[in-house]
C-alpha cells in the first residue's frame, strides 16, 4: 500500500471570535502559508492492529494504545476508525508535522485533526467527504477548547473564506461567499502561547456575571460582522479597517486582549495599517492588520521591530 498524505492550512478569524460561541456570526479565512501534514504508511512487520504515531514538533512518538483517550491525535485516529466501523485496522505508521504555531489562534489543532482524518480515511480506502471530516475534527476540537463554536474545523476543512453561525452542536450555518476584491492581511504573533480554552472559559464566567453587558457586546460584534460580509462581497475591503478597530475594542471590553496584543495593534495602526485587531482566542497568540499590498512588507517589519516573533503576509480571496 503506498503512503498517503494530506495537508490542511492554518486559519485566521477575521471578525466575530468569542461572540461566535454564543450564536453570533463570524468570518474566517484559511492561511495557506502555514500547513499541517499527515502521512500514513502501512507497517506490516508490526503486530496487526498497532498504530505507531510520530509527531516530532511536539516530541511525541508513541503507540496509539499507550496514549490517553483524550490525546487529540489519538482521538482523531480513533474517530476515523469508529466512523469507518473498523475494529481491526491494519498496522500502520502515522507521521504528523506542522509549521502552524500552537495555541496562537491560527487553528493548529484543527488543521492537525483535518490532515490526520483525511490521510487516514483515504489510506483505509474510504476518503471522507468534507462535512464528515469537519464533524470528526469538531469532536477533537472539544478536547482542545471545551466548548468550541466549530468555526476552526469548518474553515480549515473547506479551505475557503467562510461565514459561520453556530446553531447547536449538530447544526451550523456555513456559507462560503464571494470576495469581490482580494485584500491583504499581515498576521503578527505576540509569541505568547494562550490556550483558547482559558480565554473562552473566562468569557463564559464574565458573561454569567453580567449577562446584559455581554449580550450587548456580542450583538455589536454581530452587526460588525454582517457589515463586513457586505463590504467584502461588494468589493469594498477598505471599509474593513474601521470595522476591525471596532471589533478589537469590543474584544478588549470582553477582557481577552493583553498588553502585548495592544502593543502590536497600536504599532500596526501607527505604521499605516487600515485597521487592526486581535484574532482568535486572544490574551496572546496573533493579531491581524489590514493593509494595502504595497504597504504589507513595511507593516510586517514595523511589527517585528515592535516585538512580533513572526509575521505572515496573506491574501484573502
Ligand atoms: O482557536 P482560536 O484561538 O482561533 O479561537 C477560536 C475562536 C473562539 O471564538 C475564541 C472560540 C471558538 O470556538 O470559536
Amino acid at each position: 500500500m503506498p503512503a498517503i498524505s494530506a495537508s490542511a492550512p492554518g486559519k485566521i478569524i477575521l471578525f466575530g471570535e468569542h461572540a461566535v460561541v454564543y450564536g453570533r456570526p463570524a468570518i474566517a479565512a484559511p492561511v495557506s502559508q502555514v500547513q499541517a501534514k499527515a502521512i500514513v504508511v502501512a507497517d506490516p512487520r508490526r503486530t496487526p492492529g498497532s498504530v505507531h504515531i510520530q509527531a516530532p514538533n511536539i516530541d511525541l512518538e508513541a503507540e496509539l494504545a499507550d496514549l490517553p483517550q483524550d490525546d487529540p491525535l489519538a482521538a482523531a485516529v480513533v474517530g476515523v476508525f469508529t466512523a469507518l466501523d473498523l475494529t481491526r485496522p491494519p498496522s500502520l505508521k502515522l507521521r504528523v508535522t506542522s509549521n502552524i504555531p500552537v495555541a496562537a489562534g491560527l487553528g493548529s489543532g484543527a488543521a492537525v485533526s483535518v490532515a490526520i482524518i483525511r490521510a487516514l480515511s483515504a489510506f483505509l480506502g474510504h476518503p471522507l467527504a468534507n462535512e464528515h471530516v469537519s464533524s470528526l475534527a469538531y469532536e477533537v476540537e472539544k478536547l482542545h477548547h471545551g466548548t468550541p463554536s466549530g468555526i476552526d474545523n469548518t474553515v480549515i476543512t473547506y479551505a475557503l473564506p467562510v461565514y459561520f453561525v453556530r446553531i447547536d452542536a449538530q447544526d451550523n450555518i456555513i456559507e462560503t461567499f464571494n470576495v469581490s476584491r482580494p485584500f491583504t492581511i499581515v498576521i503578527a504573533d505576540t509569541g505568547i502561547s494562550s490556550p483558547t480554552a482559558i480565554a473562552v472559559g473566562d468569557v463564559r464566567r464574565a458573561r454569567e456575571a453580567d449577562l446584559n453587558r455581554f449580550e450587548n457586546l456580542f450583538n455589536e460584534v454581530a452587526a460588525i460582522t454582517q457589515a463586513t460580509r457586505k463590504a467584502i462581497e461588494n468589493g469594498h475591503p477598505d471599509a474593513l479597517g474601521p470595522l476591525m478597530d471596532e471589533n478589537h475594542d469590543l474584544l478588549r471590553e470582553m477582557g481577552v486582549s493583553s498588553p502585548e496584543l495592544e502593543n502590536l495593534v497600536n504599532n500596526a495602526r501607527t505604521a499605516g495599517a487600515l485597521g487592526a485587531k486581535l484574532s482568535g482566542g486572544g490574551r496572546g497568540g496573533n493579531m491581524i492588520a489590514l493593509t494595502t499590498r504595497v504597504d504589507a512588507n513595511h507593516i510586517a517589519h514595523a511589527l517585528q521591530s515592535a516585538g512580533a516573533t513572526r509575521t505572515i503576509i496573506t491574501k484573502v480571496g
Side-chain angles (χ1 to χ4, degrees), residues 11 13 17-18 20-21 105 145 148-149 151-152 196 200 280-281:
K11 71 100 211 346
I13 296 189
E17 51 274 270
H18 287 290
V20 69
V21 177
H145 283 200
S149 62
I151 191 168
D152 281 21
T196 303
V200 169

Side-chain angles (χ1 to χ4, degrees), residues 8-14 17 27-35 100-101 104-111 141 145 149-157 159-160 162 187 196 279-281 286 288 312 314:
K11 71 100 211 346
I12 43 173
I13 296 189
L14 290 169
E17 51 274 270
I27 291 176
V31 177
S32 58
Q33 287 83 352
V34 284
Q35 297 270 336
I100 310 175
L106 292 184
S108 131
E141 284 290 279
H145 283 200
S149 62
I151 191 168
D152 281 21
N153 46 288
T154 302
V155 62
I156 286 168
T157 299
L160 288 168
V162 295
I187 306 168
T196 303
S279 177
N286 280 274
I288 56 175
I312 298 168
T314 193

